[in-house]
Amino acid sequence: MPSDRTISPRWKGEFKHFKTAVLDDGILLAGFDYSGKSVNVLNVESMTEWQEIVQLAEQTAAIKGVALVSLKIGNFCAGADLEQIHDAQRTRNFGEIEQLVTTVHRLFDAMTRSPKPFVTAIEGACLGGGLELALACHARIASTHPRTCLALPEVRLGILPGFGGTQRLPRLIGLPAALEMITTGKTVFPRQALRMGLVDGMVTSVPSSARTLEAVQKEALVQAAIVKARALCSTSARHQPKQRFWSFPGIRTLVCRYARHKVVKRVRQFYPAPLRAVDAIQRGMRWSVLRGSLNIEKPLLLELMASPISTHLVGLFLSGEALKRGVTSASISPLRVGVLGAGLMGSQIAGQLAEKGCTVVLRDVSSEILAKAMGRIHETQTAQLRKRTILPSDLRFRMLRIAPTLRADDVATLPLVIEAVSEKLEVKRAVLAEFETIARPDAVFATNTSSYTLAEIAASAVHRERCVGLHFFNPVAKMQLVEVVRAPFTSETALARACGLAKLLGKFPLMVNDGPGFLVNRILSRYLAEAVILVGEGVPIRRIDAVAKNFGMAVDSGRPMGPLELLDLIGLPVARHVLTSLTVLGPRIESRDAFLQALLPEGKPPLTFWNSEKENPQTVEESRRHRQTYSEEAGPASDDIILKRLFLPMIDEAVRCLHDKIVDHAWQVDFALTYGIGFPAFRGGLLTWARQTMTPGQIVEDLASLAAKYGKRFEPCTDLSNGSWQG
Ligand code: NAD
């Protein structure tokens, strides 16, 4: 590999978002470094500069080819500027976006057609428009850096890849693989990318810490891209679209029909973007890339971008980014964490920590429980191995990072301990007392409790400032939210460390104030309790869950789920505990405890609502025994009434949470419920949905009418009618 290239003084461009230099062998090295942002984005400004660079390369005889590299750490390019898109959605002015799409299509096409080769060196996240930029190049080299990943996640924002991605990707990697990537937005890692033909080479490279053009030039990755560009200078066969069997229209139609079927199975008809993307791909394959991109992709993109669904999804995405930026976080050093309790939650948390490179000490009270927990973690990791997203060595290292133990002393030297022991106050207090006697003085105690307040757990602690809540959601791998609970006594250090850990796990740390059920469980409890009450009235389990699923609950996780399925997932003992303990909030939390108690027979496993995808006959029998009936006037529960009974109390509780200052803003409620319990993202969040589909007066009236028929638990709070929650 040539290492004696130097930057020639002959030509040096001055740009705001790119650093450029011509190397001695005629390769123009362009370093993308978007000014004022931590990631590279494609917008009018950066693309105008890139256009200038492409033209200069075309017109300068001394330039033989171009190698494009990112000067950001861990990011090649995040894609289109979402803030710009969201501004356009809010102002309903898409003129600038339309102009950008046209410019980018022409620019990328000019690159693809250029006689001079363009090669990208990809390290870090290469997403959306970033990948479309790479696809317009003649070759792509990826680094094996852990943060390198490639995806076209546009459908998750309610749009489609609009910079030629729907046209170029199928031509590069074939129709089925492209449909899968585009309709799911799934992430591809370097090894997979190489296998699929998405990248042409993979290099193990150590990134330089100084991200200057001079420094990155010495990296193996950039050297490989330069060598590739040189090699392509002397070959006429460049970027030949691959001819495969899907060039036959009949087969194309079948493959696309199957892709549509898969989309509808996964997200029903709630999200139009993946289906429009299939349309764009199918129709575009009849044309050359340029005509396909401009004529087909562009109008579909603009139509989707103008829809309320995309506006909601982009808004939620930006809220998540703001959330991550807005918290002060501190890294855990050394990266070793204790997890107390190896049950359902403890084992999942330990598995996630090990995945992210943490050493974990996992403590429980019996070897059998620990063995079962390690078995569960191994099973989850093996599933990733089967999907070929990790290597056997990754699995081994992850498992080796977890040290199961029965000894409390083993967590003594750790900077942070997460408590996920049984939901019993005396057990939690005992575990905290033990922690205080053995832990190092600056160690943080983070509780994953669902129902106790931080104040209750830390009531007799000596150093309450070290106590913080770190409330994960089940299943931990899927749910992206973590509530970071702050009591008045919690120190800033404890909060920062808890936020740091949540970020390390790739979660959104939402800061909430201490209070029964915090934010999410407090609102969720109204929904779950009402579902149990409906079962007690004899409404079929299947029907209750169907109403929630038809509304879109948990559709974004890929597994739509009603409240009773969710109760089974949480586990009735924990759920019952949460519901009973939240009765402190007032009579509006009705837990139907006698019925729930009957589902938890002494010395036997708890009953579930569902059993192998069928209603559990034992649970149905118990519900008959505890049947609750209402007056004739209430009438049979229609689907509309079930929907109102499940969701209106959640709105009421959310408004009460705002009143109690659990969080300050309605958008935090929307974000928390979307990422914590799977409230459908396409509706924009609970309060946005309420605001956009009902007036405060209507909500109050409906709740009052439900209260008259079914009980006082539906009585609306005063803040609902004054509309203060509408922001
Ligand atoms: P679980 O019953 O599955 O696990 C609790 C584990 O704690 C058991 O293995 C038990 O042996 C162990 N344990 C008891 N005393 C201990 C001690 N002194 N030291 C170490 N381990 C001890 O319960 P879970 O569902 O995993 O819940 C754990 C915590 O997470 C609870 O506080 C719960 O409220 C919370 N949580 C649960 C969910 C959920 O969906 N289940 C979701 C969020 C939070």
Side-chain angles (χ1 to χ4, degrees), residues 46-47 119 142 150 186 190 203 231 240 266-267 271 293 295 298 307 320 346 377 425 520 582 600 637 649 708 712:
S46 59
M47 284 300 92
V119 178
L150 302 95
K186 80 168 192 182
V203 174
Q240 290 289 331
R266 203 180 58 249
V267 294
Y271 290 96
S293 316
N295 297 352
K298 187 175 148 182
S307 70
I377 299 169
L425 190 56
V520 174
L582 289 186
L600 300 168
K712 281 175 166 253

Short mmCIF file of all heavy atoms in Angstrom, two decimals, residues 46-47 119 142 150 186 190 203 231 240 266-267 271 293 295 298 307 320 346 377 425 520 582 600 637 649 708 712:
data_model
loop_
_atom_site.label_atom_id
_atom_site.label_comp_id
_atom_site.label_asym_id
_atom_site.label_seq_id
_atom_site.Cartn_x
_atom_site.Cartn_y
_atom_site.Cartn_z
N SER A 46 -24.44 22.04 2.17
CA SER A 46 -23.37 21.06 1.98
C SER A 46 -23.40 20.49 0.56
O SER A 46 -22.35 20.22 -0.03
CB SER A 46 -23.44 19.94 3.02
OG SER A 46 -24.67 19.26 2.95
N MET A 47 -24.60 20.33 -0.01
CA MET A 47 -24.67 19.75 -1.35
C MET A 47 -24.23 20.74 -2.42
O MET A 47 -23.69 20.35 -3.46
CB MET A 47 -26.08 19.23 -1.62
CG MET A 47 -26.36 17.92 -0.92
SD MET A 47 -25.25 16.55 -1.39
CE MET A 47 -23.94 16.62 -0.21
N VAL A 119 -14.78 7.13 -4.90
CA VAL A 119 -14.74 6.01 -3.94
C VAL A 119 -14.97 6.58 -2.54
O VAL A 119 -14.40 7.62 -2.19
CB VAL A 119 -13.37 5.27 -4.00
CG1 VAL A 119 -13.32 4.15 -2.98
CG2 VAL A 119 -13.13 4.72 -5.41
N ALA A 142 -15.52 -0.16 3.53
CA ALA A 142 -16.02 0.07 4.90
C ALA A 142 -14.97 -0.34 5.92
O ALA A 142 -14.20 -1.28 5.69
CB ALA A 142 -17.29 -0.73 5.13
N LEU A 150 -24.60 0.64 8.06
CA LEU A 150 -25.19 1.23 6.86
C LEU A 150 -26.69 0.96 6.87
O LEU A 150 -27.11 -0.16 7.19
CB LEU A 150 -24.56 0.64 5.60
CG LEU A 150 -23.03 0.79 5.46
CD1 LEU A 150 -22.31 -0.45 5.98
CD2 LEU A 150 -22.64 1.03 4.03
N LYS A 186 -33.72 -1.51 8.02
CA LYS A 186 -32.80 -2.25 8.89
C LYS A 186 -31.33 -1.86 8.68
O LYS A 186 -30.96 -1.42 7.59
CB LYS A 186 -32.98 -3.76 8.72
CG LYS A 186 -32.31 -4.35 7.53
CD LYS A 186 -32.32 -5.87 7.63
CE LYS A 186 -31.39 -6.45 6.58
NZ LYS A 186 -31.34 -7.88 6.53
N PRO A 190 -20.68 -4.04 8.61
CA PRO A 190 -19.72 -4.19 7.50
C PRO A 190 -19.62 -5.61 6.92
O PRO A 190 -19.60 -5.76 5.70
CB PRO A 190 -18.39 -3.77 8.13
CG PRO A 190 -18.78 -2.81 9.19
CD PRO A 190 -20.09 -3.29 9.72
N VAL A 203 -11.96 -3.07 5.72
CA VAL A 203 -10.60 -2.87 6.22
C VAL A 203 -10.65 -2.71 7.73
O VAL A 203 -11.51 -2.01 8.27
CB VAL A 203 -10.00 -1.58 5.59
CG1 VAL A 203 -8.65 -1.25 6.19
CG2 VAL A 203 -9.90 -1.72 4.10
N ALA A 231 -7.06 2.27 -8.88
CA ALA A 231 -7.29 1.08 -9.70
C ALA A 231 -8.43 1.32 -10.69
O ALA A 231 -8.36 0.90 -11.85
CB ALA A 231 -7.62 -0.11 -8.80
N GLN A 240 -21.05 -1.28 -13.31
CA GLN A 240 -22.01 -1.87 -14.24
C GLN A 240 -23.20 -2.38 -13.43
O GLN A 240 -23.01 -3.20 -12.53
CB GLN A 240 -21.36 -3.07 -14.95
CG GLN A 240 -20.27 -2.68 -15.95
CD GLN A 240 -20.85 -2.01 -17.17
OE1 GLN A 240 -21.99 -2.28 -17.56
NE2 GLN A 240 -20.08 -1.12 -17.79
N ARG A 266 -46.42 -6.80 8.88
CA ARG A 266 -45.64 -6.22 9.98
C ARG A 266 -46.28 -4.95 10.55
O ARG A 266 -46.42 -4.82 11.76
CB ARG A 266 -44.23 -5.92 9.49
CG ARG A 266 -43.20 -5.84 10.60
CD ARG A 266 -41.80 -5.55 10.12
NE ARG A 266 -41.72 -4.30 9.39
CZ ARG A 266 -41.50 -4.20 8.09
NH1 ARG A 266 -41.31 -5.27 7.37
NH2 ARG A 266 -41.46 -3.03 7.49
N VAL A 267 -46.65 -4.03 9.68
CA VAL A 267 -47.14 -2.73 10.19
C VAL A 267 -48.57 -2.43 9.75
O VAL A 267 -49.03 -1.31 9.83
CB VAL A 267 -46.21 -1.55 9.79
CG1 VAL A 267 -44.88 -1.67 10.44
CG2 VAL A 267 -46.08 -1.43 8.28
N TYR A 271 -48.67 2.45 8.11
CA TYR A 271 -47.56 3.24 7.57
C TYR A 271 -47.51 3.13 6.05
O TYR A 271 -47.18 2.08 5.51
CB TYR A 271 -46.24 2.76 8.17
CG TYR A 271 -46.10 3.10 9.62
CD1 TYR A 271 -46.44 2.17 10.61
CD2 TYR A 271 -45.66 4.35 10.02
CE1 TYR A 271 -46.33 2.50 11.95
CE2 TYR A 271 -45.54 4.68 11.36
CZ TYR A 271 -45.89 3.74 12.32
OH TYR A 271 -45.78 4.06 13.64
N SER A 293 -35.29 7.92 -10.75
CA SER A 293 -35.17 8.67 -9.50
C SER A 293 -36.01 9.93 -9.54
O SER A 293 -36.78 10.21 -8.65
CB SER A 293 -33.73 9.08 -9.25
OG SER A 293 -32.88 8.03 -9.51
N ASN A 295 -38.38 10.98 -11.80
CA ASN A 295 -39.79 10.93 -12.17
C ASN A 295 -40.63 10.17 -11.15
O ASN A 295 -41.81 10.45 -10.99
CB ASN A 295 -39.97 10.25 -13.54
CG ASN A 295 -39.29 11.06 -14.62
OD1 ASN A 295 -38.83 12.17 -14.36
ND2 ASN A 295 -39.22 10.50 -15.80
N LYS A 298 -39.18 11.22 -6.61
CA LYS A 298 -39.39 12.58 -6.08
C LYS A 298 -40.84 12.89 -5.71
O LYS A 298 -41.09 13.31 -4.57
CB LYS A 298 -38.84 13.60 -7.09
CG LYS A 298 -38.86 15.01 -6.57
CD LYS A 298 -38.20 15.95 -7.55
CE LYS A 298 -38.84 17.30 -7.49
NZ LYS A 298 -38.29 18.23 -8.44
N SER A 307 -47.15 14.46 4.71
CA SER A 307 -48.22 13.80 5.47
C SER A 307 -48.04 14.02 6.98
O SER A 307 -46.92 14.20 7.46
CB SER A 307 -48.21 12.31 5.18
OG SER A 307 -47.06 11.73 5.77
N GLY A 320 -36.11 12.82 20.49
CA GLY A 320 -35.13 11.86 21.05
C GLY A 320 -33.73 12.44 21.03
O GLY A 320 -32.97 12.31 21.99
N GLY A 346 -33.37 -8.31 35.44
CA GLY A 346 -31.93 -8.30 35.73
C GLY A 346 -31.14 -9.02 34.64
O GLY A 346 -30.10 -8.53 34.18
N ILE A 377 -29.74 -15.47 28.81
CA ILE A 377 -28.88 -14.49 28.11
C ILE A 377 -28.21 -15.18 26.91
O ILE A 377 -28.16 -14.64 25.81
CB ILE A 377 -27.80 -13.91 29.08
CG1 ILE A 377 -28.47 -13.18 30.24
CG2 ILE A 377 -26.85 -13.00 28.34
CD1 ILE A 377 -27.55 -12.79 31.38
N LEU A 425 -40.85 -4.04 49.00
CA LEU A 425 -40.16 -2.91 49.61
C LEU A 425 -39.08 -3.35 50.59
O LEU A 425 -37.95 -2.84 50.57
CB LEU A 425 -41.18 -1.98 50.28
CG LEU A 425 -40.64 -0.64 50.75
CD1 LEU A 425 -39.98 0.13 49.61
CD2 LEU A 425 -41.75 0.21 51.37
N VAL A 520 -44.36 6.77 33.14
CA VAL A 520 -44.94 5.80 32.21
C VAL A 520 -45.88 4.82 32.93
O VAL A 520 -47.01 4.59 32.51
CB VAL A 520 -43.83 5.06 31.44
CG1 VAL A 520 -44.41 3.96 30.57
CG2 VAL A 520 -43.06 6.06 30.57
N LEU A 582 -50.20 1.59 43.22
CA LEU A 582 -50.60 2.89 42.68
C LEU A 582 -51.98 3.34 43.16
O LEU A 582 -52.41 4.45 42.85
CB LEU A 582 -50.55 2.87 41.16
CG LEU A 582 -49.14 2.84 40.58
CD1 LEU A 582 -49.15 2.97 39.08
CD2 LEU A 582 -48.27 3.93 41.17
N LEU A 600 -53.39 -15.64 40.68
CA LEU A 600 -52.07 -15.94 41.26
C LEU A 600 -52.23 -17.00 42.36
O LEU A 600 -52.08 -16.71 43.55
CB LEU A 600 -51.46 -14.66 41.85
CG LEU A 600 -51.22 -13.51 40.87
CD1 LEU A 600 -50.89 -12.23 41.59
CD2 LEU A 600 -50.10 -13.88 39.91
N ALA A 637 -70.53 -3.43 25.79
CA ALA A 637 -69.38 -2.59 25.43
C ALA A 637 -69.08 -2.72 23.94
O ALA A 637 -68.70 -3.79 23.48
CB ALA A 637 -68.18 -3.00 26.25
N PRO A 649 -58.74 7.42 29.90
CA PRO A 649 -58.11 7.56 31.23
C PRO A 649 -56.60 7.82 31.16
O PRO A 649 -56.03 8.48 32.03
CB PRO A 649 -58.38 6.20 31.90
CG PRO A 649 -59.57 5.66 31.19
CD PRO A 649 -59.45 6.14 29.78
N ALA A 708 -70.43 8.23 34.58
CA ALA A 708 -71.83 8.01 34.95
C ALA A 708 -72.22 6.55 34.77
O ALA A 708 -72.99 5.99 35.55
CB ALA A 708 -72.73 8.90 34.10
N LYS A 712 -66.72 6.11 39.18
CA LYS A 712 -66.06 7.40 39.41
C LYS A 712 -64.62 7.45 38.89
O LYS A 712 -64.04 8.52 38.79
CB LYS A 712 -66.02 7.67 40.91
CG LYS A 712 -67.32 8.17 41.47
CD LYS A 712 -67.20 8.27 42.98
CE LYS A 712 -68.34 9.07 43.53
NZ LYS A 712 -68.05 10.37 43.99
#
